[in-house]
Amino acid sequence: MSGTEVTTLVRFWAIFGYLLTIVGANWLTAHYGFVPVGLGLAATAGTYLAGLAFVARDAVQDAAGRVASLAVLVAGCGLSCFLPTPALALASAAAFGLSELVDMAVYTPLRKRGYVRAAVASNLIGSVVDTFVFLWLAGFGLTALVVGGQLVGKAYATIAVVGAVVTARVLLRHRVNRAGA
């Protein structure tokens, strides 16, 4: 497989994964409502996938650029319009749109200093914006248990994915170094 084919494949899977996290988060929330996330907290069922969406957006930006990232964001927000209730559709589209733009605004300048710093900082800020905008517009209320649950759930997702990316990079670097030795 050529380098161009690998790049195209990476772009495809990054974009597909990003759209899947947006649609999946919305579907889970619409169908299952609230779920426990541990520590006595609850969050909407789509919280974990919403947390993954921030990392997926970062991956789209890295693989395909900011314009592609914005295009996929718009497509994901458009797909949110097919949710069962207008309030949930509006809340989801507004929260994803605003929080992902904030994520991009933080991620882009920090990316030059390294992936982990950029992903963690942008996901943290994006998660806070997403949580407050979504819960408020969807009419779920801003109780400490739910806000905390949303933030904890998204933090779990960020830690898991960023940890997996870092682990994969270390293993690949080790493999490349061994092959070159």
Side-chain angles (χ1 to χ4, degrees):
M1 189 177 281
S2 73
T4 303
E5 291 171 326
V6 169
T7 301
T8 302
L9 198 58
V10 167
R11 284 182 185 147
F12 169 80
W13 284 110
I15 290 168
F16 180 75
Y18 184 36
L19 279 175
L20 190 63
T21 60
I22 294 171
V23 172
N26 290 328
W27 186 87
L28 287 168
T29 297
H31 287 82
Y32 296 103
F34 286 91
V35 297
V37 294
L39 308 171
L41 302 171
T44 57
T47 294
Y48 296 114
L49 286 181
L52 289 176
F54 294 111
V55 181
R57 197 223 51 83
D58 298 342
V60 171
Q61 181 174 330
D62 285 349
R66 286 185 290 174
V67 172
S69 183
L70 288 170
V72 178
L73 171 60
V74 169
C77 289
L79 291 171
S80 297
C81 294
F82 296 103
L83 290 170
T85 67
L88 194 57
L90 172 67
S92 175
F96 266 117
L98 186 58
S99 64
E100 295 289 348
L101 288 173
V102 168
D103 178 85
M104 182 183 284
V106 172
Y107 182 81
T108 301
L110 287 179
R111 183 61 177 98
K112 296 172 189 136
R113 296 169 139 180
Y115 170 77
V116 173
R117 177 180 294 148
V120 171
S122 65
N123 292 0
L124 175 67
I125 293 168
S127 292
V128 171
V129 171
D130 181 71
T131 294
F132 282 98
V133 171
F134 178 74
L135 292 175
W136 177 59
L137 290 176
F140 287 129
L142 297 173
T143 67
L145 291 178
V146 174
V147 169
Q150 294 280 109
L151 295 174
V152 166
K154 290 170 188 165
Y156 289 160
T158 296
I159 291 166
V161 176
V162 170
V165 168
V166 169
T167 300
R169 286 180 174 183
V170 167
L171 292 174
L172 286 172
R173 193 173 305 129
H174 178 70
R175 185 174 177 201
V176 168
N177 287 342
R178 282 187 56 198

